[in-house]
Amino acid sequence: MTLDVPLAEVAAKPAKTLPDAQTVTAVRHWNDRLFSFRVTRPASLRFRSGEFVMIGLPGDNGKPILRAYSIASPAWDDELEFYSIKVPDGPLTSKLQNIQPGDEIILRPKPVGTLVLDALLPGKRLWFLATGTGIAPFASLMREPESYERFEQVIMMHTCRTADELAYGRELVENLKNDPLLGELYGKEFASRLLYYPTTTRETTPFMGRITDNLTSGKVFADLGLPPMDAANDRAMICGSLAFNTDVKAVLEGFGLREGANSEPKEFVVEKAFVGDGI
C-alpha cells in the first residue's frame, strides 16, 4: 500500500533558511523501506538526464549531512524527483524519511555522473541494469525523449528482493507506456519500444533471479524475444551496489562490451557514486 502526501501550498511558507535550500513539494512512501519525494528546482540548474547531485539536511551539530542522489526526474521537468531507501540509523535517511511538503532540504546544484547518453557509442538497444534504488537515474532516462531518439529499444532490468520493492519502477513504466508526449513524438508503437523486466530474489514472482544470472543464462533474451548482447548493437548502463556493479561489468565484458566514460564513449557505463544496499 502506498501513502500519498498532498502537494503543499509552498507559496505560503516562510523564506528559505538553509544554504542551497529547496522546498519539498510532494512525498510518497512506497512501503516501510522506500520513499520518493519531489522538490523545487533551482532556476539555474541544468543537468543531463542520469546525473546526480548532493542533497542533505542539517545534522544534530548543525553541519550539513550530504549524500549523492541520482535525479530521478528527466532534464525537462520543472521539479526534481528523488528515490530513497529508509535506514533507521542512517545519518541522513533517518532524518530524510520524515520530510513533509513545505520542508526544506539542502541541494548543491552541481550535477555530475557517468550515466549519460553522451558516454555511449551509437547502438540499437539500450539496457538499464539496476538493483534497488539504483533505478533512480533510469527513471530519469526512461522519461528522456533523447533515449528513444538514439536507440530503437530501451530495456529496463530491475531486481529487488520482494515485489513491493518493485512498485516505484512498475508504476513509472506503466505510466510511460501511455505518456502523451512520448506517444506524440514517436507514435502509437512507442510503448513496444520500452521493455520492462522486473525480477525478485527472495519472493516468488513471475520473473525471478539476479540480473547477472538472467543475462548469462540467456533467460532474459528468451523471455523478451531479443538476441544475446553484442558490441555492435547493445549499450548498457549499470547502477547498484559496488558488488553488483563489479559482477555485471564482468558479464558485459564477456559479451564483448567495453566500459566507457564521458571523455571516451564506449558500449557501457557504470555509476560509481551509488552506494545502495545490494540484493
Side-chain angles (χ1 to χ4, degrees):
M1 182 178 71
T2 60
L3 301 175
D4 292 292
V5 179
L7 183 68
E9 295 181 2
V10 295
K13 294 293 179 181
K16 294 174 180 176
T17 57
L18 296 175
D20 292 320
Q22 295 302 320
T23 304
V24 178
T25 60
V27 181
R28 182 167 180 179
H29 294 272
W30 296 87
N31 53 38
D32 60 359
R33 300 174 301 281
L34 297 163
F35 70 108
S36 59
F37 59 97
R38 294 177 68 85
V39 303
T40 53
R41 176 175 177 170
S44 61
L45 178 61
R46 298 291 181 269
F47 71 95
R48 292 177 294 177
S49 293
E51 290 186 316
F52 66 85
V53 290
M54 302 297 291
I55 66 173
L57 292 168
D60 295 334
N61 61 0
K63 294 183 179 180
I65 302 173
L66 299 171
R67 296 289 184 272
Y69 269 73
S70 292
I71 302 172
S73 47
W76 51 261
D77 202 324
D78 292 335
E79 294 184 334
L80 300 176
E81 181 178 315
F82 299 96
Y83 183 49
S84 178
I85 57 173
K86 304 177 186 181
V87 181
D89 56 351
L92 177 59
T93 59
S94 61
K95 301 175 183 293
L96 193 63
Q97 63 184 291
N98 296 317
I99 57 174
Q100 300 290 330
D103 291 346
E104 292 180 350
I105 68 164
I106 301 166
L107 188 149
R108 298 284 166 81
K110 296 179 180 179
V112 291
T114 55
L115 299 183
V116 293
L117 296 172
D118 290 339
L120 295 174
L121 294 171
K124 289 185 178 181
R125 290 177 292 272
L126 176 58
W127 295 78
F128 296 141
L129 311 173
T131 58
T133 53
I135 194 175
F138 306 136
S140 174
L141 285 158
M142 279 191 286
R143 290 182 272 193
E144 172 57 61
E146 190 177 354
S147 297
Y148 305 95
E149 292 174 9
R150 296 195 182 200
F151 297 92
E152 296 175 11
Q153 288 183 307
V154 173
I155 304 102
M156 179 72 246
M157 289 186 75
H158 187 207
T159 296
C160 293
R161 288 164 292 203
T162 59
D164 66 337
E165 293 178 342
L166 293 166
Y168 174 81
R170 183 187 305 112
E171 181 173 300
L172 172 64
V173 172
E174 288 175 355
N175 290 339
L176 266 176
K177 287 182 176 292
N178 297 304
D179 185 274
L181 172 61
L182 293 172
E184 181 178 342
L185 288 172
Y186 304 112
K188 294 181 179 179
E189 74 282 357
F190 157 73
S192 64
R193 297 175 57 194
L194 174 60
L195 306 180
Y196 178 49
Y197 196 79
T199 63
T200 54
T201 57
R202 296 188 183 176
E203 180 181 352
T204 301
T205 56
F207 295 102
M208 298 187 65
R210 297 173 183 270
I211 286 174
T212 48
D213 294 338
N214 283 317
L215 285 171
T216 54
S217 70
K219 186 176 188 304
V220 62
F221 308 125
D223 287 343
L224 296 179
L226 298 175
M229 279 192 187
D230 66 70
N233 298 297
D234 295 281
R235 305 293 176 259
M237 295 182 172
I238 308 169
C239 191
S241 68
L242 293 177
F244 170 79
N245 291 352
T246 299
D247 291 345
V248 177
K249 278 179 59 175
V251 171
L252 296 186
E253 288 168 350
F255 285 117
L257 279 62
R258 302 164 299 166
E259 182 177 358
N262 280 274
S263 58
E264 190 176 4
K266 291 186 180 177
E267 289 84 28
F268 76 88
V269 286
V270 182
E271 184 52 83
K272 298 178 176 64
F274 184 78
V275 291
D277 290 343
I279 294 298

